[in-house]
Each structure stands twice: as C-alpha cells, then as structure tokens.
Amino acid sequence: MKTFFEQFKFDAKRLLIRNFSFLFFSLLMPAGFYLLFTKIMISGTTAELSKLKLSYLGSMIIYSGIISAIFGIASLLKADRDEGFLCYLQLAPAKAKYYYGSLYLLIILVNLVAVLILQTLAVLLNSVKLDLYQVLFSILIVGIGQLPMVLLGTCLSYLKKQETLNVVSNLIVFPLAIVSGLWWPLSIMPTWIQKVGQVMPTFFANDLLSSVLLGNQIKTGNIIGITIWIIIGIAGVIVTLKLYHHRGWSFNA
Amino acid sequence: MREIVNVKELNFSYGNKRVLKNLNLTIHQGEIVGLIGENGAGKTTLLNILLGLLPADQEIKVFEGKPGQKKARQKIGSMLQGDIVLANVTVTEMLHEAAAQYFRSKNVTELLQELNLQKQADQLLTNLSGGLQRRVTFALALIGNPELLFLDEPTVGMDAQARKMFWQRIQALRDLGKTIVITSHYLEEIQQTADRLFILQKGKFVFQGTFQELQNKDKRTIIHFKTKLAIKNFQKLTAVVAATQLEDWIDLVSDDGDATLRSLVPFLEEINNVSIQRESLENIFLKMTNRMETLA
C-alpha cells in the first residue's frame, strides 16, 4: 500500500499539480463550454431553459470524461512509455501495477472534480437545483461510465507515433461528442447518425446521467450498454497488451 | 563461485531476421563482464532477454530462475540506452519514486552524494544536460541496491570527469562483490575494468575470455620511435606488416616484436624514444570485426 501511495503522490504532482494544460482541458474547458452554451447561446421558454441547463450539465460532465480519458490517459501513458519509464517499472519488483492503478485513480478523481466544478457552476450561476442523491449518483455514473473511454485511451496509447495518436484522438473525441448528443441534441441529427450515436458508450453514460439530473427513470438499456462497452474495452486492452508483449517491452528493442 | 547468469544455446529472431545465434554464456558472482560488438551485433537484444524484456524459449537462468521473475527483479539494476526524462519531476522525486519499488533500496540522499548529484537534487530532469541525465539513470540503476547490474552504453553523453567517476563507482561496486555486465563503445575503459570479455559479431560470440587471453591470441606488437630517417628504411624489416610516419615519429606494426627489434639494431644510432606496445582492445576488436582492413 505504501508503494501505491508513493506512486500516487508522484503521479499527482507531475501529471496534475504541475501540468496546467491537462487541468485546463479536463476541467476548465468543459466548464467554459457549459457557461457558453447555457448563459450566452440560449433561447426558449423558462421550462425549456431549466431542462437545457440540467441536460447540458450532464453532457459537459461526460465530455470532460472523454477528454481526460482519450487525451489524458492515452498521451500520458504514451509519453511515459516513450521515455522508458514503463520499461523501468516493468523491471522493478512490483512491475507497473501500482503505476496503472495510480494513473486510473488520478483520471477518475480529475473527473469527479470536474463533476463538482460543473455542478457548483450550475447551482451558483444557473440557479440549478441539485439534491445529494443527484450529486452522488452523478459521481457514480461518471466513475463507471468513463471506464470504456479509459480502456480505449489505454489501447490508443500503444500507437507507435505521437502524431498518429494526436490525429486518432481528435478523430475519436469530437465526432464521438457530436454523435452522442453532447454538444447539440441528437434529435437534430440525420437518422443514421442518431442510430450510430445511440450505441456509443458516451451516449449510454450521458443518457443515464441526464435521467438522474432531470429526475427521470433510469433505463436498464443504458446500464447494459455501458457494461457491454466495458467488456469490449477490457478485451481490447488484453489483445493490445498481448501484441505489445509479443513485440517486447523495451523501448529501444 | 556462484553462477548468476547461465545461457545455453540461445537463438533469437526479430521476425525472419536471426539476431542471436547459438550463444552460450555463464557469469559468476562478483565478475565484471564486458559485452562488446559493433552496432547491431545483438548486445542490447541479449541484455533485454536477460532482463526478461524480450521473450526467449531457450534455457536461460538468472539467479536460478527465468529472466524477469519477481525474485530476480529485486536483485537486478539496469541502465538501458536512453534516459528517463519525465516532465515536471525533480531528480530527488524520481529517485524516491524508484526507491519505493524496492524492499532494500539505498538512501536517496546518500546516493546523490555518492554520484555527486547533490547540486542537481531539486532540479527538474528536463533541465539537466545529457551527461547529468545519464548520471541520474545510473542512480536509478543503483537505487534498489542490486546484486547484478546490466549497463547498456552507460557512459554515452558523459564528459571525461563524469566517466572517470562512473568507472570509479564500478570499481567500488566490484569491491562490494556486485556482478556487472557492461556494453560500451569506449573499449579502453572496458579493457581496464572488465574481468572477462564477450565479443559479439553478427549475433555470435567470436571471443570469450580475459583481455590477456585475447592479447595472447594476437601476437602483434607496435614499435614506436623517433627518427630523422625515411620510413622506407623500416618498411621491409623482419615481421613488419605495416608502417606509418607522422613527422619524426614512426610506428611499426610487427607480427613478431622480438625479430623486428633485432632487425632494428643497425639503426640504433639513428633512433630514440623507443616504446613497445601490445595491441589495444580497440585495435584487436577492429581487426576481429574486419574494420581495420576497411579503414586501411
């Protein structure tokens, strides 16, 4: 346990406290988007607006999760691997298990902070009312709902070139946010995009979170959807790791 | 003496390209082994296999277990090519992080003193020069207080002073009974330090033994002297295979030093500052790898 805490302290300092760009993209950008879409670019009746403020709150929480997972996990893992740090840990007695544990915990904590920041903004600036049940369930949904994205980010980190990773990450994050209805309502999209969007992991997480925030009934389909994506993500990581192990761990082999 | 590493008939390929061919290797406790070879000879691949970073099906024992096993990892320190230069991390933080991975790690402050890194303790790794980053990588190899060290090109990028300090540390580790496997392109340093040499050429060992044994295989002697006479007077002396002149200085490379010296007697009045040298590891290595001829 001591090794894990040392690892966590080390990673929190270098990846979070001293890494402004990561904090900006994971916490400040979604908060900025939330204020932009709910304070400036708005129209509709009072009832529609209060619904928008709640559903958009959920969307930006999920969007923050995608950014941390794809841009965060993928590039942090890749940078550490390219620097030979993962290879060094692989040769240490505990291998890299504490490292992975610490990194994933850090990303989840960042997202939980994002949840609290966005909800605080919603309450203070948009007069949104949230009870403790909604806050706690939001945290739970974010913790579980972002797992498929974290696993996908882990797979992407094994891409050979940083440039490829940047392109692939952008090709995933922004289209995924759009087709999952995180930026604009899915109903304004063409039918075929709606069909694609409705099977994406981010759609399931967003729909589930919206249900909690709007006080609607939770759909079992969303939970099943997230579970299936988690299984797919785990399978993806196992296959990627097997391929990588086959090639060898050393960064200069 | 206790066997630390034992490799039998090791073969290894990257896809269809066979890079290690039928290697046999035994390393005993307390030995310093120099692994030398041209770029691409297979040195790094061999180290990576011994560390368990590359899979190998053949029978390989490191601390009586397979490479990469937890028990062995606790006793091994490694310094691979390339330095770990993490962003936003100071030297001390990096060493504390590494120390937390081992049960019987060294004290970070003491290690910083040992390697003369106290001034850099609170500096970010990214702000250090290449030579200092290499020294931190050496510290990371030592932090777990290992019994066996694998050092791959450890002195690349270090200045002369840092290299001197590095080899002094290696001598001190030898005195503590540590086993060390080093690859380096600074053959003069390997020649002075290694107890045994393994020369790899195109994936095969072409020599295993002490430097003395290697020198005995190579009878060549270099006779160096100062003279005003022209080089043509010496080119046809007994057993001389090559002669070079730089201003008043002449080097004769001889296959039989005694015979050449006897044939120099008629010129004794005309020559001075005579010195006789055996071939250095670098020259023997270059000859073994057929580069001497190419260069000539």
Side-chain angles (χ1 to χ4, degrees):
Chain A
M1 212 56 187
K2 193 190 159 215
T3 311
F4 177 78
F5 281 121
E6 284 291 331
Q7 184 73 50
F8 185 76
K9 203 169 76 180
F10 178 74
D11 290 333
K13 256 191 208 169
R14 72 190 179 106
L15 303 176
L16 206 62
I17 298 164
R18 295 176 187 161
N19 190 356
F20 178 74
S21 63
F22 181 62
L23 286 178
F24 175 79
F25 284 108
S26 301
L27 302 177
L28 299 183
M29 202 166 83
F33 273 130
Y34 178 69
L35 292 178
L36 183 75
F37 278 88
T38 56
K39 295 293 279 184
I40 300 164
M41 299 163 68
I42 49 166
S43 64
T45 63
T46 316
E48 281 170 344
L49 287 179
S50 63
K51 191 181 166 191
L52 173 82
K53 284 171 184 172
L54 276 169
S55 61
Y56 207 69
L57 171 64
S59 297
M60 283 304 103
I61 288 174
I62 300 299
Y63 180 60
S64 164
I66 309 180
I67 293 205
S68 311
I70 304 293
F71 286 125
I73 278 269
S75 48
L76 296 176
L77 275 172
K78 174 144 186 66
D80 283 350
R81 190 174 298 113
D82 290 350
E83 275 304 326
F85 183 48
L86 270 169
C87 183
Y88 180 81
L89 290 175
Q90 192 63 19
L91 294 172
K95 288 201 165 183
K97 63 183 178 191
Y98 295 122
Y99 166 83
Y100 283 110
S102 140
L103 203 60
Y104 291 145
L105 180 63
L106 203 66
I107 292 292
I108 289 170
L109 285 179
V110 167
N111 274 357
L112 298 185
V113 172
V115 172
L116 295 176
I117 289 176
L118 285 163
Q119 289 183 341
T120 308
L121 287 175
V123 170
L124 295 179
L125 300 177
N126 281 339
S127 308
V128 164
K129 287 193 175 100
L130 293 170
D131 57 29
L132 187 63
Y133 155 83
Q134 285 172 312
V135 174
L136 293 178
F137 259 80
S138 305
I139 288 173
L140 183 69
I141 290 167
V142 168
I144 298 169
Q146 79 163 147
L147 280 179
M149 291 291 105
V150 167
L151 295 165
L152 177 62
T154 307
C155 293
L156 291 180
S157 73
Y158 286 89
L159 286 169
K160 242 180 177 176
K161 291 182 182 170
Q162 184 64 45
E163 295 80 12
T164 316
L165 174 63
N166 293 343
V167 172
V168 174
S169 299
N170 280 300
L171 285 176
I172 290 174
V173 169
F174 299 111
L176 190 63
I178 293 166
V179 302
S180 310
L182 300 184
W183 284 357
W184 300 286
L186 204 52
S187 54
I188 65 166
M189 305 283 174
T191 321
W192 69 270
I193 291 186
Q194 289 186 35
K195 281 184 181 165
V196 173
Q198 283 164 356
V199 293
M200 292 293 121
T202 37
F203 172 83
F204 293 125
N206 188 32
D207 205 36
L208 196 60
L209 192 54
S210 292
S211 306
V212 171
L213 294 172
L214 293 167
N216 298 336
Q217 196 170 2
I218 288 170
K219 292 174 201 158
T220 326
N222 288 333
I223 296 170
I224 295 171
I226 291 173
T227 312
I228 290 171
W229 274 106
I230 290 174
I231 294 167
I232 292 171
I234 291 170
V237 171
I238 291 170
V239 171
T240 311
L241 278 176
K242 280 212 185 273
L243 289 171
Y244 192 69
H245 273 263
H246 185 71
R247 230 174 53 196
W249 264 97
S250 178
F251 61 106
N252 51 16
Chain B
M1 220 182 297
R2 186 180 163 210
E3 258 182 25
I4 302 284
V5 175
N6 192 322
V7 175
K8 280 181 190 159
E9 292 167 12
L10 171 66
N11 292 291
F12 187 81
S13 305
Y14 288 117
N16 292 329
K17 194 184 171 198
R18 206 160 151 213
V19 287
L20 297 180
K21 297 163 194 165
N22 206 25
L23 299 188
N24 290 292
L25 163 77
T26 307
I27 299 171
H28 297 99
Q29 188 175 9
E31 265 191 315
I32 296 184
V33 167
L35 189 59
I36 58 179
E38 292 175 297
N39 289 335
K43 305 181 299 287
T44 299
T45 302
L46 176 58
L47 289 193
N48 285 336
I49 290 171
L50 295 178
L51 284 164
L53 291 170
L54 285 172
D57 298 330
Q58 283 81 7
E59 196 185 320
I60 301 172
K61 291 268 163 54
V62 178
F63 287 110
E64 291 155 7
K66 281 187 178 175
Q69 283 192 340
K70 191 175 178 180
K71 193 178 142 197
R73 290 200 304 273
Q74 193 66 248
K75 298 176 184 174
I76 294 175
S78 57
M79 184 178 181
L80 302 181
Q81 287 180 24
D83 299 313
I84 303 168
V85 189
L86 298 181
N88 306 320
V89 176
T90 67
V91 172
T92 307
E93 285 165 355
M94 188 71 213
L95 290 176
H96 275 296
E97 151 71 4
Q101 309 290 328
Y102 294 88
F103 296 139
R104 43 185 195 125
S105 55
K106 294 186 84 150
N107 179 290
V108 171
T109 315
E110 283 172 18
L111 187 59
L112 285 169
Q113 272 173 353
E114 267 178 46
L115 300 182
N116 201 16
L117 281 167
Q118 309 99 299
K119 278 187 196 163
Q120 288 76 29
D122 296 322
Q123 284 184 26
L124 291 175
L125 294 171
T126 43
N127 291 348
L128 300 179
S129 67
L132 284 168
Q133 286 172 350
R134 201 76 191 125
R135 236 191 287 174
V136 173
T137 307
F138 183 44
L140 290 171
L142 298 179
I143 193 78
N145 202 6
E147 288 177 35
L148 170 63
L149 267 169
F150 288 108
L151 309 174
D152 195 2
E153 302 291 347
T155 54
V156 167
M158 287 185 191
D159 58 26
Q161 201 183 352
R163 284 219 309 272
K164 190 178 171 194
M165 189 212 64
F166 170 84
W167 290 109
Q168 281 170 350
R169 289 306 314 154
I170 295 294
Q171 294 290 358
L173 290 165
R174 179 214 297 269
D175 296 341
L176 292 170
K178 310 282 183 185
T179 310
I180 303 169
V181 181
I182 308 181
T183 79
S184 177
H185 281 121
Y186 296 104
L187 300 186
E188 199 183 319
E189 293 168 342
I190 291 261
Q191 173 188 329
Q192 285 165 8
T193 316
D195 299 314
R196 274 197 305 151
L197 299 167
F198 288 77
I199 300 179
L200 253 179
Q201 194 180 9
K202 292 177 183 167
K204 278 189 209 166
F205 282 136
V206 289
F207 176 80
Q208 297 188 33
T210 63
F211 176 58
Q212 198 65 47
E213 287 165 353
L214 184 65
Q215 266 194 328
N216 291 343
K217 281 181 90 171
D218 189 295
K219 299 282 184 199
R220 285 196 177 178
T221 306
I222 300 164
I223 302 164
H224 182 71
F225 54 86
K226 197 175 180 184
T227 181
K228 292 281 181 194
L229 296 174
I231 192 169
K232 63 181 181 187
N233 293 295
F234 307 100
Q235 281 168 325
K236 293 199 173 153
L237 294 181
T238 315
V240 169
V241 290
T244 53
Q245 186 168 24
L246 185 64
E247 293 176 353
D248 290 345
W249 290 95
I250 286 182
D251 275 354
L252 299 179
V253 180
S254 166
D255 266 344
D256 184 341
D258 294 339
T260 305
L261 277 175
R262 277 193 291 273
S263 65
L264 265 176
V265 171
F267 301 98
L268 280 181
E269 294 289 320
E270 307 287 339
I271 63 176
N272 45 52
N273 294 95
V274 180
S275 68
I276 300 159
Q277 292 168 355
R278 296 294 304 273
E279 285 279 49
S280 66
L281 174 58
E282 185 151 354
N283 282 342
I284 298 171
F285 171 70
L286 286 171
K287 265 190 284 175
M288 285 182 93
T289 52
N290 296 324
R291 281 172 61 182
M292 195 73 146
E293 285 80 356
T294 316
L295 289 173

